[in-house]
Amino acid sequence: MMKRTRSVNIVVFTALMLLVAIAIGAPSISGAQPKGEPFVIGYIGMVASPGTRPCMDIQKMAVEEVNAMGGILGRPVKYVVMDNKGDTSLSVEAFRKLVIEDKAKFVSVEGRSEICLAVQEASGMLAKEYPHILVFNGPMGSELTARIIDEAPKYDHCFRDWDPEPAHYAQQKYFFCKTIPEYEKARKIAFLWEDLAWTTEWRKGISYINLPTWEKMAKDCGLEIVYSKAVKPRGTMYLPILQDIKKSNADLIFYISSWFTDTESFAKQWADSAARDIQVNLYGGVAQTQDYWRMTGGKALSIISSYTDLDDIALTDKTIPLVKKAHARKIPMQIHVHIAYADIYHFKAAIEKAKGTGDIKKLIKAMEDVETVYSLGKVKYETQKIKPFFHSRMRVNPKDPYKTYPGYYYQLIVQFQQGGKIAYLHESCPENEAHVAKWVDPKRYKKPAELRK
C-alpha cells in the first residue's frame, strides 16, 4: 500500500511539474529535440541599422522558438546573419556565401530596394544550381516583383513580404480626401519625399495601371500643393527647407519617410524653426516607435506618424504577447519587424506543406498556398499575375488598388503629445473592405501650437 501511494504521488508530482513547465514556456518541454541536418535561413542587412537590426533579432527569437518546439519536420533550424554594412556589393557577396557555402534555402534581404535588386539579380543567376527562396523584407520598389512576371521563370522563387507602392493608394486616398481636410483641417500641403527608389512611382505616377501621382490624388481631393521636394535620407540640412515651407503658407508637411530617413534630426530642426506651428505627418520609420520621443528629446511633440509599438492594442490575440516578449529583449517593434518575425513561421508552414526543401517547385507553390496569422493580421502572398502585386504580401485588390482585402493589417496612426503620450487617432477595422481604418475621435487631435502651450 505504501509503494502504491508513493507511485501515485510521483505521478501527480510529475504531472504538476509538466504543467508548471508548460505555463512558464520551458523550451525543453514544448517539443522533442530536433535532429539531423538543419534548415538554414539567412538574413542580409546592416547590423548597425536601427531599422534592420531589430529584424535580425526578432527572427533569431522566432528560430529559437521553432527549435524549442521541435524544429521543422523534426529537423533544427540554423539562423545566419550577414552584415552588409549598408553596401550593395557586400550584400551580393553575403548572398553568394549564404546559398553556396551555408546552403541556405531561405534568404531575406533588408528593405532597401536598390540592395534588393542587386541581390535579386545574383539570385536569378544562382537559382538553378542552388535552389532557394529569396524574400525582400520591407521594400516597396515595384521592379522587384514586376520582373517576376516580365522575366519568368528566372525570378519565380522571389517573394516580397511587404506590399508594393500601388498597394498604398487606398490608404493615401483616405488621408487626402478625409483625414487631412476634415480632421486636421489642412488644405495647403508641403510634400517632402525620401529620395530613394521606393518613392519614385508615387512621385511620377504608375501609368501601366493608371494610378496618378500622390500630388495629383491630393489635388483631386481638394488639397493645394504649395511645396514639393525630394531630400536625401541622411545628412539633410532641413532648416532652409523648413524656411521655404513657411514662406509657402503650407498648413501641413507630409514627409514620405522610412526607417532610412533621419526623421530624428528633422523633428529637432522643425521644432526650432519658423515652421514649428505647421502640422507634420511622417509616413514611417523610427517614428513608429515610442523610442522616437526619446530620440528627439521631446521635439516630436505633435508629430503624427504610423505606429506599431502596440503595448495595449490587441489587433489579434498575438499582438500584445509578441510585443511584450520583444520588448523584454529590447527589440523595437516597427511594422517590418512584426513581419520579419512572421516570415519565419511562414517559411515553416511552407516547408511543412512541401514536405521539405528538396523540390523547389513544390516549395514555391507552398509559399503561394499557405496562409499564416501573425501579430498584426494575416499573411498570404498574391497569386494573381498582375504586376507588381504578384508574389507580394496581400493587402489590396490588384484589380482595384483603392480597395483593401479584409483581414490584412492597416497601419495605426498616432500623435505624440505632452510627455510622449501616444494619442491613437486611427483604429484598425480589418474586416472593413472599403477602408480598414477610421478616425477614433476628432477631439484627440491637437494642433502643434496648442500642445506647446
Side-chain angles (χ1 to χ4, degrees), residues 18 28 79 89 138 174 190 237 303 332 368:
L18 281 169
S28 60
Y79 187 64
S89 59
Y174 181 78
M237 175 55 69
I303 285 179
E368 294 175 342

Side-chain angles (χ1 to χ4, degrees), residues 130-419:
Y130 302 95
H132 61 275
I133 299 291
L134 182 65
V135 176
F136 312 116
N137 175 220
M140 283 188 271
S142 289
E143 313 96 303
L144 290 163
T145 43
R147 60 167 44 168
I148 297 174
I149 293 175
D150 289 341
E151 301 180 46
K154 185 178 181 180
Y155 297 116
D156 283 355
H157 62 288
C158 296
F159 292 81
R160 182 214 313 269
D161 69 10
W162 203 251
D163 30 16
E165 287 109 328
H168 289 240
Y169 273 72
Q171 173 183 330
Q172 289 317 125
K173 187 171 183 181
Y174 181 78
F175 268 95
F176 294 146
C177 290
K178 196 150 186 84
T179 298
I180 290 175
E182 291 189 25
Y183 303 132
E184 297 184 50
K185 308 297 183 187
R187 291 286 172 184
K188 296 182 178 180
I189 310 300
F191 275 100
L192 293 179
W193 305 87
E194 183 181 62
D195 196 10
L196 288 176
W198 71 281
T199 67
T200 301
E201 290 197 334
W202 297 339
R203 287 181 271 162
K204 296 184 177 180
I206 309 175
S207 58
Y208 61 89
I209 48 176
N210 198 30
L211 290 172
T213 66
W214 275 13
E215 292 183 15
K216 171 71 165 54
M217 190 162 50
K219 287 177 182 176
D220 290 344
C221 289
L223 304 178
E224 181 183 353
I225 313 305
V226 295
Y227 187 89
S228 183
K229 186 177 181 64
V231 294
K232 58 185 179 180
R234 295 272 158 181
T236 297
M237 175 55 69
Y238 289 106
L239 287 173
I241 295 171
L242 290 163
Q243 188 68 32
D244 289 342
I245 290 174
K246 174 65 176 176
K247 290 177 182 175
S248 74
N249 291 320
D251 43 28
L252 185 137
I253 300 169
F254 186 28
Y255 196 162
I256 295 85
S257 56
S258 77
W259 59 87
F260 300 113
T261 319
D262 190 5
T263 52
E264 314 94 278
S265 293
F266 171 79
K268 293 173 183 176
Q269 294 179 51
W270 162 77
D272 294 327
S273 75
R276 62 184 176 275
D277 287 337
I278 301 175
Q279 178 62 56
V280 169
N281 283 28
L282 296 177
Y283 192 75
V286 293
Q288 294 175 139
T289 69
Q290 176 64 49
D291 204 38
Y292 184 61
W293 179 261
R294 179 194 60 77
M295 294 168 75
T296 64
K299 300 290 187 179
L301 183 66
S302 86
I303 285 179
I304 291 174
S305 175
S306 57
Y307 196 74
T308 53
D309 265 4
L310 307 169
D311 292 288
D312 55 358
I313 303 293
L315 294 173
T316 73
D317 60 359
K318 300 174 183 289
T319 309
I320 294 175
L322 176 61
V323 170
K324 287 183 176 177
K325 200 159 35 170
H327 284 179
R329 294 192 181 207
K330 302 189 184 308
I331 303 173
M333 292 302 289
Q334 300 175 42
I335 296 172
H336 64 293
V337 184
H338 281 266
I339 294 171
Y341 176 84
D343 283 344
I344 298 297
Y345 285 94
H346 204 83
F347 299 162
K348 179 178 183 290
I351 294 170
E352 289 169 344
K353 184 174 179 61
K355 295 181 171 51
T357 57
D359 187 329
I360 190 62
K361 289 185 177 179
K362 284 185 178 179
L363 198 56
I364 292 169
K365 186 69 167 58
M367 281 288 289
E368 294 175 342
D369 289 347
V370 296
E371 177 180 282
T372 52
V373 178
Y374 77 122
S375 50
L376 304 179
K378 295 188 288 188
V379 177
K380 181 91 169 57
Y381 286 101
E382 183 60 68
T383 55
Q384 293 185 73
K385 290 193 174 182
I386 300 174
K387 303 188 296 187
F389 299 93
F390 182 56
H391 277 198
S392 293
R393 181 179 62 116
M394 289 175 64
R395 194 163 79 98
V396 304
N397 186 338
K399 294 177 180 177
D400 185 355
Y402 292 113
K403 290 185 177 179
T404 61
Y405 287 126
Y408 293 90
Y409 178 64
Y410 182 95
Q411 292 157 278
L412 299 181
I413 306 299
V414 305
Q415 184 178 44
F416 290 90
Q417 297 188 352
Q418 288 100 336

Side-chain angles (χ1 to χ4, degrees), residues 93-109:
E93 288 178 27
F95 166 77
R96 291 178 63 83
K97 180 185 180 301
L98 280 171
V99 296
I100 296 173
E101 296 180 26
D102 296 314
K103 311 299 182 188
K105 291 298 183 181
F106 287 84
V107 177
S108 294
V109 190

